[in-house]
């Protein structure tokens, strides 16, 4: 056991922390600031901030330098994740591209794609969206029906995608499209890289139970994409998608822990202010939420160790997802138990403004659905980890 | 960052597993379990414990031990839990810890060498019936002449032990730890009938019994001893949880109902998947807690409470699931499910149950720490670079 980071990694931490201290305005650390400005304004602020972060050398932490990354260790990436959460840095404007698309392009993209995609993504010149889910293809992704028909050297795309993060701000979309007419299930699918700024692509925001619109819908009506703008080869889309999703294993456990731990501390502080901290039932409930969060922290160290040892993580990401999403959702159920009836009133409770936590409580209902629902994750753990029959 | 067992620690776990598979499998456990009148302390098994060094792990090299840490000891405890192994390993090791932490040089020499070699069975008597595992739960008092009076129960293997470490409240209100010979005058050992046949329990009643004080002992040492006991009990529970889950998964792969393996039904799959996650987290928590105590990390107290609460919960669920997902056969006496179920029930209550540890986590200055305390913790964490966060408020 050695839970320390190397001196080089700690030096990186203090450099990053210094930069974050100087470059995140105090006002940004209050969620109310972000909720007080328009969606477009907020996105542009985040986009510019992230560009400056890249210019300061704090992007692509563990990526090879040839791709504009920092060439850092997995430990530095974990430190980066933790420090970003501690500093309440704005959420990445290009998260899906950076987490999923970039490593996939590095692994299987053509030289041209590597040049064209990665640099502009890091500079936030191009914002990437993911086009996977459809109204009839959620957990059963292979049921997707969006079609691409070859016309000369272009595909003509028709169909609809849904739950698209940043749909209203995206520039391009890595999209699963059925390019072989009449094909079934996992066959005949390609991953096409579609320009969203064209007449055949229309986007609409989706209003969520929180009232916010992180997600949107994308409609394709004879949208066009060059056949060469395909990642991983025509007909190999399913394989490409599985490779892409495997990069989630980079294990974000430590940033989840840091964020939820802050939520926990705020909820505990609210319990004190409201005089509920003496309620023995609530105390035990809160304590059991902390147990799950601490376990998440240990699990993040476990995953980082596996990554550093070069071990195959297998289906570890399903375990990580179940632990953080369920712990996070239950934490906010406890928050609801704390407030009771006052929880449905948007006004301050006993002079305590809890609007941000109330808003977050709604968000936690989504985390056990997106990115593979808890039910899908349990199937994966049961079949691939425990070896139970299908 | 290295949060995992070393190759040596993994090999140690494998040695225990191999030994148990060859020499002390569940058939042997059953013989002990069903012989309620027996001493529950198979001589061959204990001899092997001594020869293999499994009693020497925490004994310093100066006292002919291996000088290892709680991380290594929890590897052993986990393996013993997985095999539902009977015998006074845990109470003997913990008595050794008391002597190591608070004994004089002479006491250490007298106790630790024989203990490490398997020549001395010992146990601990730290609480009154119904008492908490802390200074408030101590039911024995020490007179000015160091004679002890009162009752401690349940005590593991009081009849097999040649020396007992007894916690006693002292005339000044503090707590001391004392060495007592259970065969001496003024000492009565009463055997309890117990549902858990993988141990033997009894009460220790003292009426002005002669005792030898451990000079370094205090309420803080008692707390430390209870923490170490909680870590080892958590590890045993983690071993039980993993073993019962694995056995259940294997059974449900082959048990056919409605023309299919029952393990192919989602109702069972999802329950077992959730259990796997819970058991994995409990494994992490026991490992982290052992490390945190070994290095006296700032969050050691929190880590122990997290580990004991999580391991207790995981084992309770996993042993219950073993019965449920074996169906009727799991509810029979002939099946081994109840060895694990009953052992888990005992260990759940040992060194603080789930509720007690949750209360510790929620204690003022702990979970409800103010932002200022959290800030200080953060600063400290950066300083130590251990990745731990301090939870209890500074004194």
């Amino acid at each position: 056991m050695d839970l320390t980071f190397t001196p080089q990694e700690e030096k990186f931490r203090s450099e990053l922390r210094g930069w974050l201290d100087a470059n995140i305005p105090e006002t940004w650390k209050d969620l109310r600031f972000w909720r007080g400005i328009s969606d477009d304004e907020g996105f542009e602020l985040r986009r510019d901030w992230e560009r400056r972060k890249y210019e300061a050398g704090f992007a692509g932490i563990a990526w090879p330098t040839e791709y504009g990354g920092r060439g850092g260790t997995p430990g530095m990436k974990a430190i980066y994740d933790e420090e970003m959460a501690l500093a309440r840095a704005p959420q990445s404007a290009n998260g899906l591209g950076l987490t999923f698309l970039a490593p996939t392009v590095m692994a299987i993209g053509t030289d041209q794609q590597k040049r064209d995609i990665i640099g502009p993504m890091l500079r936030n010149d191009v914002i990437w969206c993911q086009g996977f889910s459809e109204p009839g293809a959620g957990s059963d992704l292979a049921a997707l029906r969006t079609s691409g028909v070859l016309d000369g050297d272009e595909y003509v795309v028709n169909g609809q995608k849904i739950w698209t993060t940043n749909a209203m701000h995206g520039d391009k979309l890595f999209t699963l499209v059925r390019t072989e007419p009449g094909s079934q299930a996992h066959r005949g699918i390609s991953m096409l890289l579609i320009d969203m700024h064209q007449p055949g692509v229309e986007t609409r925001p989706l209003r969520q139970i929180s009232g916010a619109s992180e997600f949107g819908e994308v409609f394709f009506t004879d949208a066009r994409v060059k056949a060469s703008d395909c990642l991983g080869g025509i007909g190999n889309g399913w394989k490409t998608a599985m490779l892409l999703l495997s990069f989630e294993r980079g294990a974000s456990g430590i940033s989840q822990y840091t964020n939820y731990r802050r939520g926990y501390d705020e909820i505990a502080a609210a319990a004190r202010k409201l005089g509920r901290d003496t309620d023995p039932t609530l105390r035990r409930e809160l304590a059991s939420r902390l147990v799950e969060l601490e376990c998440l922290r240990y699990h993040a160290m476990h995953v980082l160790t596996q990554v550093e040892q070069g071990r195959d993580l297998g289906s570890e990401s399903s375990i990580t997802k179940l632990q953080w999403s369920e712990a996070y959702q239950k934490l906010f159920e406890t928050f609801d138990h704390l407030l009771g009836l006052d929880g449905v009133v948007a006004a301050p409770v006993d002079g305590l403004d809890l609007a941000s936590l109330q808003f977050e409580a709604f968000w936690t209902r989504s985390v056990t659905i997106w990115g593979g629902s808890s039910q899908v994750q349990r199937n994966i753990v049961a079949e691939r980890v425990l070896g139970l029959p299908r | 960052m290295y949060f995992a067992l070393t190759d040596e620690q993994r090999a140690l776990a494998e040695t225990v597993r191999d030994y148990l598979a060859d020499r002390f499998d569940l058939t042997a456990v059953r013989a002990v379990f069903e012989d309620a009148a027996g001493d529950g302390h198979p001589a061959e098994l204990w001899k092997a414990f001594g020869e293999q060094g499994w009693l020497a792990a925490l004994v310093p090299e100066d006292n002919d031990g291996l000088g290892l840490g709680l991380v290594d000891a929890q590897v052993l405890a986990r393996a013993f839990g997985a095999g539902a192994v009977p015998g006074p390993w845990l109470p003997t090791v913990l008595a050794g810890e008391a002597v190591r932490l608070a004994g004089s040089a002479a006491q250490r020499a007298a106790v630790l060498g024989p203990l490490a070699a398997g020549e001395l069975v010992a146990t601990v008597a730290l609480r009154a019936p119904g008492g908490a595992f802390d200074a408030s739960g101590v039911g024995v008092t020490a007179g000015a002449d160091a004679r002890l009076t009162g009752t401690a129960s349940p005590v593991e293997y009081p009849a097999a032990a040649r020396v007992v470490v007894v916690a006693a409240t002292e005339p000044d209100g503090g707590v001391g730890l004392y060495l007592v010979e259970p065969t001496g005058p003024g000492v009565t050992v009463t055997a309890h009938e117990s549902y858990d046949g993988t141990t033997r329990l009894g009460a220790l009643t003292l009426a002005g019994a002669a005792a030898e004080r451990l000079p370094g002992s205090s309420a803080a040492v008692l707390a430390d001893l209870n923490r170490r006991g909680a870590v080892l009990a958590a590890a045993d529970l983690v071993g039980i949880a993993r073993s019962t889950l694995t056995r259940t998964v294997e059974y449900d792969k082959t048990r056919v109902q409605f023309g299919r393996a029952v393990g192919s039904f989602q109702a069972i799959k999802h329950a077992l998947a959730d259990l796997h996650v819970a058991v994995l987290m409990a494994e992490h928590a026991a490992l982290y807690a052992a490390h945190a105590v070994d290095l006296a990390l700032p969050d050691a107290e929190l880590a122990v409470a997290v580990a004991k609460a999580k391991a207790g919960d995981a084992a309770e669920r996993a042993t219950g699931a073993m019965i449920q997902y074996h169906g009727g056969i799991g509810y029979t006496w002939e099946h081994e499910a109840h060895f694990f179920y009953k052992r888990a029930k005992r260990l759940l209550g040992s060194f603080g149950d789930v509720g007690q540890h949750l209360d510790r986590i929620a204690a003022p200055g702990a979970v409800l720490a103010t932002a200022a305390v959290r800030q200080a913790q953060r600063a400290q964490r950066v300083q130590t670079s251990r990745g731990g966060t301090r939870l209890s408020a500074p004194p």
Side-chain angles (χ1 to χ4, degrees), chain A residues 1-6 9-10 13 17 75 78 82-83 86 254 257-258 261-262 264-265 267-269 271-272 276-278 280 282-292 294-306 308-309 311 316 318-320 322-324 326 374-383 385-390, chain B residues 1-7 9-10 71 242 245 248-250 252-253 260-261 263-266 268-274 276-278 280-282 284-285 287-289 291 297 299 302-303 305-307 309-310 313 353-359 361-370 374 377-378 381-382 384-391:
Chain A
M1 294 281 276
D2 175 10
L3 307 185
T4 61
F5 290 101
T6 65
E9 287 167 340
E10 286 297 348
R13 185 197 292 277
R17 184 174 290 187
E82 185 179 24
E83 290 297 322
L86 283 173
I254 194 62
Y257 168 78
T258 311
R261 180 58 206 260
R262 177 167 51 235
Y264 174 88
D265 288 341
I267 292 168
R272 286 156 68 98
R276 293 291 309 282
D277 58 322
T278 53
L282 190 73
R283 288 168 68 91
R284 283 195 176 181
E285 200 178 311
L286 268 171
S288 59
R289 302 305 175 229
L290 187 61
V291 167
E292 296 306 324
E294 290 301 304
C295 285
L296 174 62
R297 182 165 73 86
Y298 310 149
H299 184 68
M301 293 191 281
H302 158 79
V303 172
L304 176 56
T305 303
Q306 302 301 306
E308 286 186 352
Q309 300 290 312
R311 297 229 167 83
E316 195 89 49
S318 291
I319 293 168
T320 307
L322 278 169
Q323 181 64 20
W324 74 249
E326 297 287 331
S374 289
Q375 285 64 39
V376 168
Q377 306 295 0
R378 288 183 185 113
N379 281 345
I380 293 172
V381 172
E383 289 164 13
V385 180
L386 299 180
L388 288 165
R390 291 178 68 87
Chain B
M1 175 70 60
Y2 190 82
F3 182 79
L5 297 178
T6 61
D7 289 343
Q9 287 160 343
R10 261 192 284 271
V71 170
R242 178 56 72 196
L245 175 60
T248 307
V249 166
E250 289 312 308
D252 286 355
K253 281 180 188 171
R260 322 165 40 176
S264 68
F265 290 110
Q266 267 190 343
I268 291 177
K269 270 186 181 168
H270 285 195
L272 295 179
D274 278 340
H276 173 69
V277 175
L280 180 66
M281 296 305 145
H284 294 333
L287 181 59
Y288 183 82
H291 177 70
L297 296 187
D299 69 340
L302 171 70
V306 167
K310 184 69 190 175
D313 184 56
D353 61 17
V354 174
Q356 225 170 345
H357 284 286
L358 292 181
D359 285 343
I361 293 169
V367 253
L368 306 176
T370 62
R374 288 279 299 142
Q377 290 158 1
R378 197 164 293 154
R381 180 154 55 117
V382 172
T384 60
S385 305
R386 295 286 186 210
T389 47
R390 183 193 172 103
L391 245 270

Side-chain angles (χ1 to χ4, degrees), chain B residues 4-391:
Chain B
L5 297 178
T6 61
D7 289 343
E8 290 81 3
Q9 287 160 343
R10 261 192 284 271
L12 176 63
E14 225 150 279
T15 309
V16 181
R17 259 201 307 274
D18 290 350
Y19 176 86
L20 295 176
D22 278 1
R23 313 290 292 275
F24 211 86
D25 63 7
L26 290 178
T27 313
V29 172
R30 178 172 293 278
V32 173
F33 196 99
E34 295 187 339
D35 178 21
D39 64 3
H41 175 39
E44 276 303 300
L45 183 63
W46 192 252
K47 195 164 156 247
F49 273 49
E51 285 168 1
Q52 301 272 4
W54 297 339
L55 288 156
L58 293 175
V59 172
E61 286 171 293
D62 286 351
N63 297 109
D64 302 324
L66 298 173
L68 301 172
L70 209 50
V71 170
D72 306 274
Q74 70 89 39
V75 169
L76 291 166
R78 200 190 284 198
F80 297 148
V85 175
W89 180 82
L90 196 154
T92 297
V93 164
L94 213 53
E97 285 292 88
V99 174
R100 180 178 70 82
L101 292 164
S104 65
Q107 286 165 334
R108 290 156 63 116
V111 172
L112 295 180
L115 185 148
E119 292 155 9
L120 177 70
V121 174
T123 191
V124 293
L126 307 177
R127 84 190 261 276
F133 283 85
D134 57 28
S136 76
V138 173
V140 175
T141 50
D145 53 357
R147 288 188 177 267
L148 305 184
T149 300
T151 302
S153 172
V155 174
E156 264 202 280
Y157 288 96
R162 276 173 42 215
V163 61
V164 188
V165 171
V166 179
T169 309
E170 303 188 316
D172 66 357
V175 176
L177 296 169
Y178 293 79
L179 298 179
V180 173
E181 284 182 25
T183 50
V187 184
T188 312
V189 170
T190 319
H192 288 316
E193 246 185 81
S194 166
Y195 297 109
D196 175 18
T198 71
T199 185
R200 293 297 179 267
L201 302 175
L204 187 78
T205 309
L206 306 166
E212 200 183 297
R213 191 176 192 277
L214 299 178
S217 62
S218 63
V221 172
L222 174 65
D224 193 11
L225 199 58
N226 273 318
R227 269 198 290 278
R228 289 163 192 274
V231 170
L232 294 177
D236 194 310
L237 285 161
V238 161
I240 292 171
R242 178 56 72 196
S243 174
T244 48
L245 175 60
T246 304
R247 288 164 193 277
T248 307
V249 166
E250 289 312 308
Y251 181 78
D252 286 355
K253 281 180 188 171
T254 54
R255 168 71 176 169
V256 173
Q257 289 286 275
F258 306 102
R260 322 165 40 176
V262 296
S264 68
F265 290 110
Q266 267 190 343
I268 291 177
K269 270 186 181 168
H270 285 195
L272 295 179
D274 278 340
L275 263 177
H276 173 69
V277 175
V279 174
L280 180 66
M281 296 305 145
E283 287 169 342
H284 294 333
L287 181 59
Y288 183 82
H291 177 70
V293 172
D294 274 342
L295 267 65
L297 296 187
D299 69 340
E301 230 177 302
L302 171 70
V304 171
V306 167
K308 186 63 172 55
K310 184 69 190 175
D313 184 56
E316 185 174 40
R317 287 168 56 197
T319 54
M322 182 171 184
I323 297 172
Q324 180 68 24
Y325 299 125
H326 276 72
I329 190 74
Y331 184 63
T332 62
W333 186 268
E334 291 98 307
H335 200 268
E336 58 266 24
H338 70 124
F339 302 166
F340 294 104
Y341 180 72
K342 291 167 182 173
R343 183 182 179 96
K345 209 185 254 291
R346 165 175 61 89
L347 288 160
L348 259 158
S350 301
F351 303 101
D353 61 17
V354 174
Q356 225 170 345
H357 284 286
L358 292 181
D359 285 343
R360 259 179 216 180
I361 293 169
V367 253
L368 306 176
T370 62
V373 172
R374 288 279 299 142
Q375 206 59 44
Q377 290 158 1
R378 197 164 293 154
Q380 182 168 18
R381 180 154 55 117
V382 172
Q383 225 174 16
T384 60
S385 305
R386 295 286 186 210
T389 47
R390 183 193 172 103
L391 245 270

